[in-house]
Amino acid sequence: MKKPFTLIALLATLPLSNANAADTATLTLNMDTVWVAIAAALVFFMQAGFALLESGMSRAKNSVNVIMKNYVDACVGSLVYWLVGFGIMFGINHSGWFGEDHFFVNVADDFDYTFLMFQTMFAATAVTIASGAMAERTHYRAYLLGAVIITAIIYPVYGSWAWGGAYGGSGWLADMGFIDFAGSTVVHSVGGWVALAGILVLGPRMGRFSNDGRAHPIPGHNLTSVALGGFILWLGWFGFNGGSTVAASANIGLINLNTHLSAAAGAVGALLALMAIRAPIYMTTVINGSIAGLVAITAGAATMTPPFAIITGLVGGVVVVAGERLLYLLRLDDVVGAVSVHGFAGVWGTLAAGIFKHGDMFNSTQILIQFIGISAAFLWTFPVALLMYYLLDKTVGLRADSISEQRGLDFAEHYEIGYPEFQLEKLHEKRG
Amino acid sequence: MAAIMSVETNGDASAISLEEMTRMRQAVYTALLPFFETNALLEAIWLWEEEYATVDDVLIRRFVQEVCTGEMTIMVNSVQHNLMAHINDGEAPLEDDPYRLMVAYRAGHVDTSSPASTAPESPTENMQLFQTLLTNMNRMLEAENRYSAYLVRNYADEALAEYRGSMSISQINELRNWMQNNGGDLRHHYSAKQMSSVLHLVYTGACAYFGPKLANDIHGMTIKSVEGAGAVDDIMAESAEE
């Protein structure tokens, strides 16, 4: 993540007359603001992508609940991030471990607001990743409490290590030279490890893995919305990666080209992997492959050339298929494949950013630093999230009871039905 | 007399007539009946009588939250909805005034832990529905896969043994026999909650051995088949009248 104002500072040193330099600096600031604000809006639009993709992969009786999780975690996450998270992540970072100011930002410079807006969207993305994995069996209140802790502590603390110190000081991983341009690890792996912790504490959905050892597929109710969600995420990612320049700079073209090629390669990688293992070519897996390509390129989008972006995406797609198989063997029920897509592909992408760094490829020191960053993310995020969900389960209750699962969380948690014309479960209402 | 006592307890006798008080009690009793077992139901009615009978409707939510504890928490909205519907609908058919039952319960003369201790009853409409639902569901499971259906019955048989907290032993034994043999009328009375939990048990077993997708489909078809039968009965009754 490039620090704000770098480009402005550079332009200010150009040998122009004072008046021209001032105009140019103002123009540059305006252009930066416009681009980052648009990018923030694109990243926000990703919430719609997540909501459609996740609800489509869930059963109809849980569709409202999934949408509500996506909708409200973005709201709660944004408020908490403004209140606490942003300060921890980007405030003055003397220790290298967390920021110390810029909490509940009130009065700041114009571009600081833009930067905060953009970063808030990132936090919202990180927090929403777990919702899909934990779909169809999580108590709504417990989930939202988890979202608060993620945006207040889990995400910003790790973020401060890798990206911290925008207003002074620096994170310890950033000091080592850790590359994670737009957050393969900072945003996506962190979200993926939180999701992994969540599904471990929750256990699988009722009937997903039966008593006699068999696994029962639980198809989603609307694959059309899954595809639309995939397209929206892809579009939003141009803001996610392109906006991470935090400036209207010339390399946005390369970044977004890499983003696009990697996504395309991710879909192809997943498709080839499915064909190689003679599995049906599942649409959901192919879409997850493209998202894995997007996740993977996020770390190195600005430091790779297009051929290596394609390799990164292609491998990302394969990683998703392998990851889904691994979770299946471990009897872990990840409804949308979030752990594979965001966790595993994030790990691969962050490594790839070190391996394929333009002008310094296969540098073992850089790869080691990448590995340290990846390990730190897991060692911080997973145990804390595991503890958090365990405590939530023991206090407010994380797992919905089986009768709520049978009736669907739409009815049990929200007293609303996503598709009243089709859902027979509504008949329970009449019988009590 | 009962109504007078309760009204006096609340110290707001002028606010509500005896008839209205009785009707309200009947409405609350009727509304809560599908959700609670006898002892919990009578406790709830007493709570309403003593603390909520004369308060404004907006406080009904607090009453519902107070009685819907534990696993009933998720039913708060349903209970409130049903309660408001019965209280506000003057035309709704109501159960008899439960006051005698309430007094007997307070005096310890009602064995609420075991509804089966009363003499066997003829099957009510709900009981008939319950039996039909179970029978149809079992048939559909059989049609899908006989061996898996057998496993589901065994699963339910084992799980029913753990229901001692909410059912009498004779009820449990009757249900276990009935489900294994799948026939005849049930002699005991089961509350709506008990019936619901038994149906849920079979559904859970179906999830485990048929998968949630098939279990959902079969469960949905079972409900539909009963609805269909009801509709047919209505038509038959209408045609007979004609």
Side-chain angles (χ1 to χ4, degrees), chain B residues 69-108:
Chain B
T69 54
E71 63 178 12
M72 281 299 291
T73 312
I74 59 163
M75 299 301 293
V76 165
N77 286 328
S78 306
V79 173
Q80 183 175 4
H81 182 261
N82 210 29
L83 191 56
M84 295 307 292
H86 279 86
I87 287 175
N88 294 327
D89 183 2
E91 306 296 321
L94 300 175
E95 298 283 338
D96 292 336
D97 185 3
Y99 194 77
R100 285 179 64 183
L101 206 56
M102 290 163 65
V103 172
Y105 170 70
R106 276 277 164 101

Side-chain angles (χ1 to χ4, degrees), chain A residues 17-364:
Chain A
S17 69
N18 285 346
N20 281 348
D23 288 347
T24 306
T26 305
L27 182 63
T28 307
L29 175 61
N30 290 346
M31 287 176 66
D32 289 347
T33 302
V34 168
W35 166 238
V36 178
I38 291 171
L42 281 169
V43 180
F44 180 68
F45 194 39
M46 287 170 67
Q47 294 290 332
F50 279 119
L52 284 170
L53 184 123
E54 291 173 12
S55 75
M57 284 196 191
S58 309
R59 286 167 288 183
K61 62 183 176 181
N62 298 306
S63 55
V64 171
N65 179 256
V66 172
I67 296 277
M68 277 292 285
K69 282 201 281 186
N70 279 279
Y71 205 97
V72 179
D73 68 21
C75 301
V76 171
S78 296
L79 296 173
V80 173
Y81 191 73
W82 166 80
L83 198 67
V84 187
F86 184 74
I88 292 176
M89 193 155 167
F90 290 105
I92 291 174
N93 195 339
H94 293 118
S95 63
W97 293 89
F98 53 87
E100 296 158 28
D101 64 1
H102 281 76
F103 299 106
F104 41 89
V105 175
N106 183 17
V107 177
D109 292 339
D110 286 341
F111 198 79
D112 286 346
Y113 294 126
T114 314
F115 184 60
L116 170 58
M117 175 69 183
F118 186 65
Q119 289 304 328
T120 301
M121 296 307 139
F122 270 50
T125 304
V127 76
T128 211
I129 288 169
S131 68
M134 298 165 68
E136 303 201 294
R137 71 255 203 227
T138 311
H139 264 311
Y140 192 65
R141 275 174 293 185
Y143 171 80
L144 286 186
L145 284 171
V148 168
I149 297 167
I150 294 164
T151 36
I153 299 169
I154 296 176
Y155 169 70
V157 166
Y158 182 77
S160 76
W161 302 350
W163 290 348
Y167 299 97
S170 185
W172 66 271
L173 272 172
D175 285 342
M176 288 177 78
F178 179 61
I179 301 169
D180 190 2
F181 173 66
S184 283
T185 291
V186 174
V187 179
H188 295 282
S189 282
V190 164
W193 303 144
V194 168
L196 179 62
I199 61 174
L200 272 168
V201 175
L202 273 175
R205 285 166 292 173
M206 192 164 65
R208 176 71 178 94
F209 302 110
S210 72
N211 300 5
D212 53 2
R214 284 181 295 165
H216 298 290
I218 307 180
H221 83 284
N222 192 339
L223 296 191
T224 314
S225 94
V226 173
L228 182 59
F231 276 124
I232 290 174
L233 283 171
W234 195 324
L235 172 70
W237 231 283
F238 295 131
F240 198 93
N241 287 356
S244 289
T245 52
V246 203
S249 56
N251 63 342
I252 292 169
L254 170 71
I255 291 165
N256 279 351
L257 176 67
N258 280 346
T259 302
H260 183 68
L261 290 175
S262 183
V268 173
L271 193 143
L272 291 175
L274 287 171
M275 289 166 76
I277 60 172
R278 297 181 188 283
I281 301 169
Y282 297 113
M283 189 196 84
T284 49
T285 308
V286 171
I287 289 172
N288 272 349
S290 66
I291 300 170
L294 291 163
V295 168
I297 197 60
T298 296
T303 52
M304 278 187 207
T305 53
F308 294 102
I310 292 171
I311 294 171
T312 302
L314 203 68
V315 176
V318 176
V319 164
V320 158
V321 176
E324 286 181 355
R325 289 289 178 281
L326 177 67
L327 293 182
Y328 175 83
L329 290 173
L330 295 171
R331 293 290 190 258
L332 293 173
D333 185 15
D334 179 353
V335 177
V336 300
V339 176
S340 306
V341 170
H342 298 276
F344 299 155
V347 166
W348 156 244
T350 309
L351 272 178
I355 296 168
F356 303 136
K357 185 182 176 188
H358 184 55
D360 190 22
M361 289 215 286
F362 303 107
N363 181 330
S364 56

Side-chain angles (χ1 to χ4, degrees), chain B residues 34-97:
Chain B
F35 297 97
F36 296 92
E37 288 180 72
T38 314
N39 53 347
L41 177 63
L42 293 173
E43 282 289 352
I45 305 290
W46 268 117
L47 177 70
W48 175 83
E49 184 94 6
E50 291 171 349
E51 297 198 31
Y52 291 91
T54 56
V55 299
D56 194 89
D57 275 0
V58 294
L59 290 174
I60 288 293
R61 177 79 178 180
R62 191 185 298 169
F63 165 68
V64 174
Q65 285 172 333
E66 208 168 331
V67 296
C68 291
T69 54
E71 63 178 12
M72 281 299 291
T73 312
I74 59 163
M75 299 301 293
V76 165
N77 286 328
S78 306
V79 173
Q80 183 175 4
H81 182 261
N82 210 29
L83 191 56
M84 295 307 292
H86 279 86
I87 287 175
N88 294 327
D89 183 2
E91 306 296 321
L94 300 175
E95 298 283 338
D96 292 336
D97 185 3

Side-chain angles (χ1 to χ4, degrees), chain B residues 34-228:
Chain B
F35 297 97
F36 296 92
E37 288 180 72
T38 314
N39 53 347
L41 177 63
L42 293 173
E43 282 289 352
I45 305 290
W46 268 117
L47 177 70
W48 175 83
E49 184 94 6
E50 291 171 349
E51 297 198 31
Y52 291 91
T54 56
V55 299
D56 194 89
D57 275 0
V58 294
L59 290 174
I60 288 293
R61 177 79 178 180
R62 191 185 298 169
F63 165 68
V64 174
Q65 285 172 333
E66 208 168 331
V67 296
C68 291
T69 54
E71 63 178 12
M72 281 299 291
T73 312
I74 59 163
M75 299 301 293
V76 165
N77 286 328
S78 306
V79 173
Q80 183 175 4
H81 182 261
N82 210 29
L83 191 56
M84 295 307 292
H86 279 86
I87 287 175
N88 294 327
D89 183 2
E91 306 296 321
L94 300 175
E95 298 283 338
D96 292 336
D97 185 3
Y99 194 77
R100 285 179 64 183
L101 206 56
M102 290 163 65
V103 172
Y105 170 70
R106 276 277 164 101
H109 294 152
V110 176
D111 182 7
T112 55
S113 64
S114 174
S117 61
T118 55
E121 298 173 8
S122 61
T124 62
E125 191 183 338
N126 274 351
M127 286 292 294
Q128 288 283 16
L129 188 67
F130 171 58
Q131 286 174 196
T132 313
L133 277 168
L134 270 181
T135 307
N136 288 3
M137 194 158 179
N138 193 35
R139 279 184 191 150
M140 286 185 199
L141 292 172
E142 285 266 353
E144 193 65 37
N145 185 318
R146 291 193 70 173
Y147 180 65
S148 295
Y150 162 77
L151 291 176
V152 171
R153 281 199 301 276
N154 278 355
Y155 169 88
D157 188 66
E158 284 175 23
L160 269 172
E162 308 298 319
Y163 270 46
R164 283 181 191 165
S166 55
M167 282 187 196
S168 68
I169 291 172
S170 57
Q171 278 179 310
I172 291 170
N173 287 338
E174 183 188 42
L175 272 174
R176 292 172 77 175
N177 284 332
W178 189 86
M179 288 179 73
Q180 288 296 350
N181 301 317
N182 194 29
D185 280 340
L186 290 165
R187 288 169 55 79
H188 287 90
H189 174 78
Y190 297 86
S191 68
K193 193 180 169 191
Q194 286 171 328
M195 294 184 218
S196 172
S197 65
V198 172
L199 282 167
H200 177 63
L201 190 63
V202 178
Y203 170 84
T204 311
C207 273
Y209 293 103
F210 287 85
K213 170 77 173 68
L214 210 48
N216 271 358
D217 289 348
I218 289 171
H219 184 256
M221 283 191 292
T222 307
I223 291 173
K224 207 171 180 180
S225 70
V226 175
E227 292 291 306

